Amino acid sequence: MPLRQIAEAIGRHLGLRPRASPRERGDHFGWFARFAALDNPTSSTRTRQLLDWKPEHSGLLADIDQGHYFN
């Protein structure tokens, strides 16, 4: 899931509009900048197979949109 989608979901609850930040501005994220800039698509398929894991709860965006982080 792109970081932008997460930022937009959080921004909706805080009344903020996310904006793009140039990659050169790594100081905004500090030590996390390297990770925030990665394009690293992942999947839970292997975890589901190895652990017989079946998610029972909502996904990240649906969880953020429930609003309980912003009370």
Side-chain angles (χ1 to χ4, degrees):
M1 169 177 319
L3 183 58
R4 179 178 188 92
Q5 287 181 330
I6 298 168
E8 288 170 346
I10 293 169
R12 278 193 300 274
H13 290 276
L14 297 177
L16 301 171
R17 192 172 145 230
R19 57 186 167 88
S21 179
R23 287 184 189 252
E24 304 84 52
R25 282 220 40 231
D27 59 325
H28 177 76
F29 285 107
W31 64 269
F32 189 71
R34 186 179 312 169
F35 301 103
L38 287 176
D39 181 15
N40 188 19
T42 58
S43 168
S44 64
T45 302
R46 185 76 173 130
T47 304
R48 291 176 191 216
Q49 291 170 345
L50 284 171
L51 302 176
D52 192 32
W53 173 58
K54 296 171 184 73
E56 299 175 4
H57 300 284
S58 58
L60 177 61
L61 294 179
D63 187 51
I64 291 171
D65 282 335
Q66 289 178 14
H68 52 259
Y69 297 107
F70 306 99
N71 292 333

